[in-house]
Amino acid sequence: MSEEFLKVARAAREAAAELAPLPRAPKDRALRAVADALVARTAEIVEANAKDVEQAREQGTSEAMIDRLRLDAARVAAVADAVRQVADLPDPVGEVVRGGTLPNGLELRQLRVPLGVIGIIYEGRPNVTVDAAALCLKSGNAVLLRGSSSAYASNTALVRVMQEALEGTEVPAGAVQLVPGRSRDSVKELMRARGLVDVLIPRGGASLINSVVEESTVPVIETGVGNCHVYVDADADLGLAVEILLNAKTQRPSVCNAAETFLVHADVAAAFLPRALAALAEAGVTVHGDERVARHGDVVPATEDDFRAEYLSLDIAAAVVDSLEDAVAHIRRYGSAHTDAIVTRSQQAARRFVALVDSAAVAVNASTRFTDGGEFGFGAEIGISTQKLHARGPMGLPELTSTKWVYTGEGHLRTSEGSVLARPDQG
Amino acid sequence: MSEEFLKVARAAREAAAELAPLPRAPKDRALRAVADALVARTAEIVEANAKDVEQAREQGTSEAMIDRLRLDAARVAAVADAVRQVADLPDPVGEVVRGGTLPNGLELRQLRVPLGVIGIIYEGRPNVTVDAAALCLKSGNAVLLRGSSSAYASNTALVRVMQEALEGTEVPAGAVQLVPGRSRDSVKELMRARGLVDVLIPRGGASLINSVVEESTVPVIETGVGNCHVYVDADADLGLAVEILLNAKTQRPSVCNAAETFLVHADVAAAFLPRALAALAEAGVTVHGDERVARHGDVVPATEDDFRAEYLSLDIAAAVVDSLEDAVAHIRRYGSAHTDAIVTRSQQAARRFVALVDSAAVAVNASTRFTDGGEFGFGAEIGISTQKLHARGPMGLPELTSTKWVYTGEGHLRTSEGSVLARPDQG
């Protein structure tokens, strides 16, 4: 491991130990100081960002990507506002998750504690640098940030401003660290830093996430790959189904909770598909349908790859299924276990779909777009976990914590016959 | 991957899908059928076990190890009883962890669901084969068991009896699988079975656990390495401290929650150490002490390795520290973050120790031996996690589950201005 990497990782480790026992008030004060500094030093941040934008333009980056990268005064102000919102959220640390008095009189509590040092690997927008840092600090964690190399100058400026703002607070400045270097080597170092980093959260496309999962010896929380389904049941209200499908596909096609496939029960295919295909075509959506879908309108023939695709565009795969169970089997086979929806008037079908679909979220008569920390009332979200360990679905502040058991006695000893109390010197 | 391994892993995967939605009653009936079959087929199990014992003897295995391996009618009956106790425990699956109605009317619930397929890698006693299978089945999971090759005949018989007992129940027989083969290759296959296995739980010594953590691409829950500390504070009642130390070290030295190091505040070293060293010597304990401990009695000089050691024997390391903070620093540096205890009459010292020690369990005026699923009232325990993700400390049935979010609406669509309802065809 390079000296530069070890230096920041060890600094984060030390800061984490200092930060963990802090109660809410000093953490909130520190976050507000960070927000103020971001606004006060907007010019410096925008100037650094201009270098990234210039370089991106020289490299022929698309205007859409450049727009994602760009920071201006309004965007910096929005980033600072988001930090203030995190300061307003309740602190998960110290929450008593379970507790009670054991039969032998030991008082037992399970308390929420910070995870320690969290590594975040991300692409795209530089605002993630600040959002992720704020969520980690609020939950008592130090953070190692590894953003896109295309935003390196912006991220360097943002981290410098945050660290300098923390200098005057009780939160150690070392708790926010940018992983040095633009090369892929620094990602590898982060993935191999077992013992220094407690968890890695990759945020980005499927290829980034898969490579982290494969190579990391640090525990990983997978996020954000969404091949979401809408299943239109035999008992569906077809008007509702068309609108839910359209909303799930088109309201924001580039996000992980957008629908990428719809499945229709054979009994309603003839009634549903002509309406649905017309509505989708009108919304500019290209349908990649199987043979049974193709009987009811113009579609592009679907391949296996279409059913696995996370399009993130105005494309959707479609198939006709013979039963709810076949819909579930399709979802299990091709899905990413993010969010899958059923549209039905049948209580029994809804219950069965919910029981059988093994995904982070299951929606009944609602758009898949609601799987979101903000919609769920978490106030903020670090990502959407599509794995089963530790956290599943939208991750808010409690998902950035672990727990610690504390038991308090008065000289409790364990014997093969049960507990006894030690004899004190002074009664 | 070998065909034999893929066959059992796929069978477990299929069984897991069938088992997951089952409610409690059929799972309990199946567990009781397993218990009955174990008792009814005791002769067959003991006969298979005799082969393992014979082979162990030929290989010159110690009598202590052979005793661990041996099954007789009484031990099989005890194993069956443990299965019945698991049947009596509440079912974590389906529990509503959080839930409510969102401002837009969506009903949101977070439900406990099984993890899927759990791989257990273990050493030693064949009873773990049945205990682990019972806990996995009760929590709705299929299990891939990889026990010690020295117990292969016993484990094969136990799994056969369990599978045949399940044949007559609603729980699919494929939900319990023995990983075929005695070689290390089968452990490697289990560690590389990402997508087929949802989590691996290694149970055993530090070297087993470290090799699994290093090599596995399947998420791992680390268990059971314990370098536990007892810190005797300046404000400790010394009578209490001696008894807690003796209990933590000697009540059962071979287990992970036994103490392996004690630390004494310099202010009470002269008063405490002569008493403690005498009591430990009388109990047959060898003390590996630093120079400041050596001033107060006969000890073996301690090395760095002693402070890192998980002795699991009548040995203990000892050091004098100048402050509570130095004790915490020692524990952070050398400990395994399992269980660390403070003995003190000071409320402030207790509060500070609890806040600063970052371990799965912190004990105040109690023996470290209480960190145990049974003592905590879990009814049963699959192991003690010393990692921070997913589960920390003793793991009972809820720790063998994940969660799923379910949201139910009446045509809820997401727009940039908030939620709206789709118009149904029939109102």
Side-chain angles (χ1 to χ4, degrees):
Chain A
M1 248 171 233
S2 68
E3 276 308 308
E4 296 100 309
F5 177 79
L6 278 176
K7 198 179 142 202
V8 300
R10 285 187 183 136
R13 185 92 253 156
E14 275 173 40
E18 213 177 312
L19 172 56
L22 281 190
R24 175 171 175 174
K27 291 190 288 191
D28 289 356
R29 283 194 292 269
L31 288 171
R32 294 204 175 91
V34 164
D36 291 347
L38 289 167
V39 172
R41 295 171 69 174
T42 297
E44 178 184 341
I45 293 163
V46 171
E47 199 181 302
N49 178 253
K51 287 183 204 156
D52 287 332
V53 168
E54 196 189 315
Q55 187 189 282
R57 195 153 277 151
E58 279 166 15
Q59 293 172 346
T61 308
S62 72
E63 278 306 310
M65 291 295 281
I66 287 178
D67 184 59
R68 286 178 159 219
L69 182 59
R70 188 183 291 113
L71 290 175
D72 55 23
R75 286 187 177 178
V76 173
V79 167
D81 272 348
V83 174
R84 289 195 185 93
Q85 280 166 30
V86 172
D88 289 340
L89 292 175
D91 183 354
V93 174
E95 184 198 342
V96 179
V97 179
R98 285 184 277 184
T101 302
L102 298 180
N104 60 13
L106 272 180
E107 287 170 29
L108 179 67
R109 289 175 299 155
Q110 184 184 24
L111 304 177
R112 276 202 192 285
V113 296
L115 284 166
V117 177
I118 299 178
I120 317 259
I121 303 177
Y122 53 103
E123 298 167 338
R125 305 173 207 258
N127 65 308
V128 174
T129 305
V130 180
D131 289 349
L135 290 168
C136 289
L137 291 185
K138 176 79 186 208
S139 51
N141 296 290
V143 63
L144 284 174
L145 297 155
R146 209 299 180 178
S148 167
S149 60
S150 66
Y152 194 71
S154 313
N155 291 339
T156 302
L158 289 166
V159 169
R160 186 177 59 236
V161 169
M162 288 193 281
Q163 285 179 336
E164 290 174 12
L166 292 176
E167 295 285 353
T169 76
E170 289 156 272
V171 169
V176 178
Q177 299 285 352
L178 190 68
V179 174
R182 291 170 186 246
S183 84
R184 284 274 306 165
D185 291 352
S186 64
V187 180
K188 284 214 176 3
E189 289 182 310
L190 199 48
M191 294 193 293
R192 297 284 158 181
R194 193 174 182 96
L196 286 168
V197 180
D198 293 290
V199 57
L200 267 190
I201 305 178
R203 285 179 54 158
S207 72
L208 168 69
I209 289 163
N210 286 338
S211 85
V212 174
V213 164
E214 274 298 315
E215 294 177 42
S216 182
T217 56
V218 175
V220 174
I221 300 180
E222 295 174 55
T223 67
V225 175
N227 177 8
C228 302
H229 297 73
V230 174
Y231 164 60
V232 180
D233 185 51
D235 267 330
D237 179 300
L238 300 185
L240 229 60
V242 170
E243 291 196 59
I244 286 173
L245 175 58
L246 270 181
N247 185 263
K249 177 69 257 180
T250 68
Q251 198 252 334
R252 203 171 162 203
S254 63
V255 291
C256 63
N257 59 17
E260 305 291 10
T261 300
F262 73 94
L263 305 168
V264 194
H265 193 288
D267 289 358
V268 290
F272 178 72
L273 282 170
R275 274 175 82 170
L277 295 177
L280 287 164
E282 199 182 327
V285 178
T286 304
V287 176
H288 305 255
D290 72 357
E291 281 174 25
R292 294 167 80 185
V293 173
R295 286 178 209 155
H296 301 280
D298 263 0
V299 298
V300 178
T303 64
E304 285 272 305
D305 284 349
D306 285 303
F307 292 119
R308 292 191 203 283
E310 187 187 21
Y311 294 116
L312 302 174
S313 62
L314 287 175
D315 291 82
I316 195 163
V320 173
V321 292
D322 289 316
S323 65
L324 184 147
E325 285 70 22
D326 283 359
V328 170
H330 182 108
I331 290 167
R332 280 192 179 259
R333 181 162 176 199
Y334 296 108
S336 68
H338 186 299
T339 301
D340 300 294
I342 182 172
V343 186
T344 188
R345 286 171 303 201
S346 159
Q347 177 62 22
Q348 200 191 351
R351 188 177 146 100
R352 194 150 172 75
F353 189 82
V354 166
L356 295 182
V357 170
D358 184 27
S359 298
V362 182
V364 178
N365 294 330
S367 171
T368 54
R369 290 276 296 115
F370 288 102
T371 303
D372 176 280
E375 294 292 325
F376 281 11
F378 294 177
E381 173 186 289
I382 192 93
I384 296 179
S385 162
T386 50
Q387 65 173 35
K388 290 185 183 173
L389 278 192
H390 187 70
R392 200 173 189 210
M395 293 192 292
L397 290 169
E399 284 70 30
L400 295 179
T401 65
S402 181
T403 60
K404 174 199 282 185
W405 291 94
V406 178
Y407 50 90
T408 305
E410 37 178 342
H412 281 69
L413 310 178
R414 188 168 166 190
T415 76
S416 51
E417 286 82 40
S419 294
V420 299
L421 294 186
R423 292 147 304 168
D425 283 342
Q426 297 152 30
Chain B
M1 246 170 236
S2 69
E3 275 309 310
E4 297 100 310
F5 178 78
L6 278 177
K7 197 179 143 201
V8 299
R10 285 187 183 135
R13 185 93 252 155
E14 273 172 42
E18 213 178 311
L19 173 56
L22 280 191
R24 175 172 175 174
K27 291 190 288 193
D28 289 355
R29 282 195 292 269
L31 287 171
R32 295 205 174 90
V34 164
D36 291 348
L38 289 167
V39 173
R41 295 170 66 175
T42 296
E44 175 183 344
I45 294 163
V46 172
E47 196 180 306
N49 180 254
K51 288 183 203 155
D52 287 332
V53 169
E54 194 187 315
Q55 188 190 280
R57 195 152 278 154
E58 280 167 12
Q59 293 172 347
T61 308
S62 73
E63 277 307 310
M65 292 294 284
I66 287 178
D67 184 58
R68 284 178 162 219
L69 182 60
R70 188 182 291 112
L71 289 175
D72 55 22
R75 287 186 175 178
V76 173
V79 166
D81 272 347
V83 174
R84 289 195 184 95
Q85 279 165 31
V86 172
D88 289 340
L89 291 174
D91 184 354
V93 174
E95 184 198 341
V96 179
V97 179
R98 286 184 275 183
T101 303
L102 298 179
N104 60 13
L106 271 181
E107 287 170 28
L108 179 67
R109 289 174 300 155
Q110 184 184 25
L111 304 177
R112 276 202 194 285
V113 297
L115 284 166
V117 177
I118 298 177
I120 317 258
I121 303 177
Y122 54 103
E123 298 167 338
R125 306 171 206 257
N127 65 307
V128 175
T129 305
V130 180
D131 288 349
L135 290 168
C136 290
L137 292 185
K138 177 78 186 209
S139 51
N141 296 291
V143 64
L144 283 173
L145 297 155
R146 208 299 181 179
S148 167
S149 60
S150 66
Y152 194 70
S154 314
N155 291 340
T156 302
L158 289 166
V159 169
R160 185 178 59 237
V161 169
M162 289 193 281
Q163 286 179 334
E164 290 173 13
L166 293 176
E167 295 286 354
T169 76
E170 288 157 271
V171 168
V176 178
Q177 299 285 352
L178 189 69
V179 174
R182 291 169 184 246
S183 84
R184 283 275 305 166
D185 292 353
S186 63
V187 179
K188 285 214 177 1
E189 289 182 309
L190 199 49
M191 294 193 293
R192 297 282 157 184
R194 194 176 182 93
L196 285 168
V197 180
D198 293 290
V199 58
L200 266 191
I201 305 179
R203 285 178 55 157
S207 71
L208 168 70
I209 289 163
N210 287 336
S211 85
V212 173
V213 163
E214 275 298 315
E215 295 177 42
S216 182
T217 57
V218 175
V220 174
I221 299 180
E222 294 173 55
T223 67
V225 175
N227 177 7
C228 301
H229 296 72
V230 174
Y231 165 61
V232 180
D233 187 49
D235 268 330
D237 180 299
L238 300 185
L240 230 59
V242 170
E243 292 196 59
I244 286 174
L245 175 57
L246 271 181
N247 185 263
K249 177 69 258 179
T250 67
Q251 199 252 333
R252 202 172 163 202
S254 63
V255 292
C256 62
N257 59 17
E260 305 290 13
T261 300
F262 72 94
L263 305 169
V264 194
H265 193 288
D267 290 358
V268 290
F272 178 71
L273 282 170
R275 276 176 80 169
L277 296 177
L280 287 164
E282 200 182 328
V285 178
T286 303
V287 176
H288 306 255
D290 72 357
E291 283 173 26
R292 296 167 78 184
V293 172
R295 288 178 208 155
H296 301 280
D298 263 0
V299 298
V300 179
T303 63
E304 286 272 306
D305 284 350
D306 284 303
F307 292 120
R308 291 191 205 284
E310 188 188 20
Y311 294 115
L312 301 174
S313 62
L314 286 175
D315 292 82
I316 195 162
V320 173
V321 293
D322 289 317
S323 64
L324 184 147
E325 286 69 22
D326 283 359
V328 170
H330 182 107
I331 290 167
R332 278 190 182 262
R333 182 162 175 200
Y334 296 107
S336 67
H338 186 299
T339 301
D340 300 294
I342 182 173
V343 185
T344 188
R345 285 171 303 200
S346 158
Q347 176 63 22
Q348 201 190 350
R351 188 177 144 99
R352 194 149 173 76
F353 189 83
V354 166
L356 295 182
V357 170
D358 185 27
S359 297
V362 182
V364 178
N365 294 329
S367 171
T368 55
R369 291 275 296 115
F370 288 102
T371 304
D372 175 280
E375 293 293 324
F376 281 11
F378 294 178
E381 173 188 289
I382 192 93
I384 296 179
S385 163
T386 51
Q387 66 172 35
K388 290 185 182 172
L389 279 192
H390 187 72
R392 201 173 188 209
M395 295 192 291
L397 290 170
E399 284 68 33
L400 295 179
T401 65
S402 181
T403 60
K404 174 200 281 186
W405 291 94
V406 178
Y407 50 89
T408 305
E410 39 178 342
H412 281 70
L413 310 178
R414 188 169 166 189
T415 77
S416 50
E417 286 81 40
S419 292
V420 298
L421 294 185
R423 292 147 302 171
D425 283 343
Q426 298 152 28

